Amino acid sequence: MPRFFYGNFDFEHQLASEAYGTAMGAASSLTTSLASCWLGLVEDDDQIYLPAAIPREFTAELQTSGFPRVHFTSDWPAPDTARSLTFTPWGWSAAMSQLAQSKGFSVETPNLTAVRTVNARAFSFQLETEWGLALPGSQQVGNLESLERALKALPDSADSAWVLKANFSMSARERMCGRGKQLTEPVRGWAAKRLAQGQPLLLEPWVERISEAGLQFQIPVRGEPTFVGLAVLLNDARGQYRGSRIHVDESTLQEWQPALEVAQRVARAVQQAGYTGPLGIDAMQYRDADGQIRFRPLQDLNARYTMGRLALGFQRFLAAGEVASWLHFPWKESYGIDFSNWLRCVASQIPAGNRLQGTSPDRIDGQCPRLASVLLIAGNQADLQTGEATLTDAHAKLNQTTG
C-alpha cells in the first residue's frame, strides 16, 4: 500500500505538549522545509506532504537520477483515497493520531502512552543508571534545589562544563550549557519554567566527543527487534546534526560492537514497555578526564524515524563497493546562489569519480529552504571523507564571505 509521509519534525514538542510546545508557525515551517528528507524511504507512488510549491525541475531531476516516482503534494487526499494510503509520520503522538483520523486515514498507531514514556529522557536515564552506564555525575532533578546540589556534586574542577537537558529534546535543542558550580540567571529561568510544568531535567557533565553513530532498529509487535543498520553521525561543534555516513564497512561495525550490544538490550526494553515502530539509538565515543577513550552507548533514544534511518535508505542507490554520506547545510538567501548551482561550482573540487545528488529543492514557495541536503557518493572511504571535508570547507567559506 502506498504511504503518505507527514513530517511532524516538532515531534518531541508535541509530546511535551503545553510544557514547552512550539508555536504552530514553527511546526509548519519544519514540516515544509524538511519534507524532502523523506526521499531516503520513498517507493513508487508514495506521497510526501509539502504544503508549498517547489520547482518542477527538482522532481524531474530525481526521476532522471533513478529515484522512485514520488509525489510531493500540498493537498490532503480525499477520504476515499486516504483509506488506500498508509499514514506515516515522523513520530506518533496523540496530535498525529487525531490529524490522520480527521483526514480519513485508517490509522493503527503504536501504544501512545508507551511512545511518550520511551521518548522521555527519564526513561533512557533510568536504563543507563540501572545498567551502570551513566556518565559520572549525571543526575535527574525535579526542582531548582536538587539541581543546585547536583551541580555542586559534579566531578572535576569548579570550572567544569555541563549540559542541562529537558525531558523531551532533540538535536541540541531544548538544552542549556553551563560551566562551574553556580546557576546563571538565564539557566535558572529556563530550568524553572520547565520544572514548573512537572518536567524533570537531566544534568550531565560535558565530555570531549570523538565520534557518534546512530543504531537503527525496527520494533515489531511480536518477535525480536530487527537491527536495520548503523550510520556514523556527522555533527557540528554544537552537536547539531549535519549528516550521516552510510554503508559503513565491517571494521566500523566491529568498532561500534560494544554499543550495538547495549542497543539490542535497549531495543528489547523499549519493546517490553509497549512500543512498536522505528527506533534510533545514538551512541558516542568520548575521551574522559584521564584521556581514556570510552563509550556512551545510550546517549539518545528516539522512538520515531530519525535522519540516520532515512539516510540508510539511500544505500539502495549505491553500486557495489560504493560508499556515501548524506550531508545537510544551513542555507541563506544572502548567499546569492541556489544550492544546486553551488554544488555544480564545487563539484570540480572533490575527488574524481565522486558524485553529487541534491536531495532538497532550491526553492520552496519561491524562498530558499533553510536546510539544503546532498547525497555524496564515492568509490572508497578515503575519497568520501575528502569529499565531505571539501564540501564542508567550501560551505564555511561561503558563509564567511557572504554572511
Side-chain angles (χ1 to χ4, degrees), residues 123-396:
F123 179 83
S124 56
F125 180 71
Q126 180 181 355
L127 295 182
E128 280 192 303
T129 303
E130 291 177 354
W131 298 345
L133 301 173
L135 293 174
S138 297
Q139 289 196 46
Q140 178 176 319
V141 298
N143 53 57
L144 289 175
E145 292 74 18
S146 60
L147 174 57
E148 290 172 334
R149 289 196 298 271
L151 277 177
K152 291 181 172 61
L154 281 175
D156 301 325
S157 68
D159 195 37
S160 58
W162 45 264
V163 58
L164 186 62
K165 299 178 179 179
N167 198 28
F168 296 99
S169 61
M170 68 292 189
S171 188
R173 300 183 182 94
E174 277 299 319
R175 75 177 195 186
M176 294 291 278
C177 295
R179 186 177 293 276
K181 306 293 186 179
Q182 301 295 324
L183 283 177
T184 63
E185 285 308 310
V187 175
R188 180 183 293 276
W190 181 91
K193 178 180 178 180
R194 284 145 185 82
L195 291 168
Q197 298 293 339
Q199 294 290 321
L201 301 176
L202 286 301
L203 178 69
E204 300 173 1
W206 189 267
V207 295
E208 181 187 348
R209 182 177 67 246
I210 296 175
S211 60
E212 292 177 270
L215 309 173
Q216 306 299 326
F217 290 83
Q218 186 69 24
I219 311 299
V221 175
R222 288 176 294 275
E224 284 292 308
T226 302
F227 176 57
V228 177
L230 179 151
V232 175
L233 291 174
L234 306 173
N235 293 333
D236 62 17
R238 293 187 62 246
Q240 288 191 315
Y241 178 78
R242 290 295 174 250
S244 296
R245 189 176 300 147
I246 58 179
H247 205 74
V248 298
D249 55 21
E250 285 300 319
S251 64
T252 303
L253 286 173
Q254 188 61 37
E255 176 187 1
W256 288 96
Q257 185 60 31
L260 179 56
E261 292 173 0
V262 173
Q264 289 168 333
R265 294 177 64 191
V266 174
R268 288 191 289 271
V270 166
Q271 186 182 46
Q272 290 167 5
Y275 174 77
T276 57
L279 175 71
I281 300 167
D282 292 347
M284 174 176 61
Q285 291 187 54
Y286 69 97
R287 196 184 313 277
D288 68 13
D290 297 325
Q292 299 295 313
I293 297 177
R294 300 188 180 278
F295 275 101
R296 187 186 183 189
L298 182 48
Q299 176 171 261
D300 277 313
L301 188 161
N302 299 297
R304 55 165 169 78
Y305 281 104
T306 66
M307 288 297 179
R309 178 66 175 268
L310 272 55
L312 289 177
F314 289 112
Q315 288 181 333
R316 57 194 160 142
F317 303 118
L318 306 183
E322 287 186 327
V323 292
S325 293
W326 188 36
L327 305 176
H328 296 240
F329 297 97
W331 209 253
K332 302 177 184 178
E333 202 74 52
S334 60
Y335 290 164
I337 185 172
D338 284 341
F339 184 65
S340 62
N341 290 333
W342 178 76
L343 288 178
R344 294 186 188 98
C345 292
V346 299
S348 61
Q349 303 173 29
I350 63 177
N354 280 20
R355 308 198 315 274
L356 297 172
Q357 173 62 58
T359 55
S360 60
D362 284 333
R363 297 279 152 176
I364 300 177
D365 271 350
Q367 304 294 317
C368 72
R370 66 185 195 184
L371 196 68
S373 61
V374 60
L375 184 65
L376 168 66
I377 302 173
N380 56 69
Q381 290 284 354
D383 283 353
L384 181 68
Q385 293 183 41
T386 299
E388 290 172 358
T390 299
L391 290 172
T392 301
D393 290 346
H395 178 260

Side-chain angles (χ1 to χ4, degrees), residues 4 18 24 43 60 75-76 195 201 213 270 282 291 381:
F4 186 93
E18 64 277 357
M24 285 303 295
E43 301 287 354
D75 299 318
W76 290 98
L195 291 168
L201 301 176
V270 166
D282 292 347
Q381 290 284 354

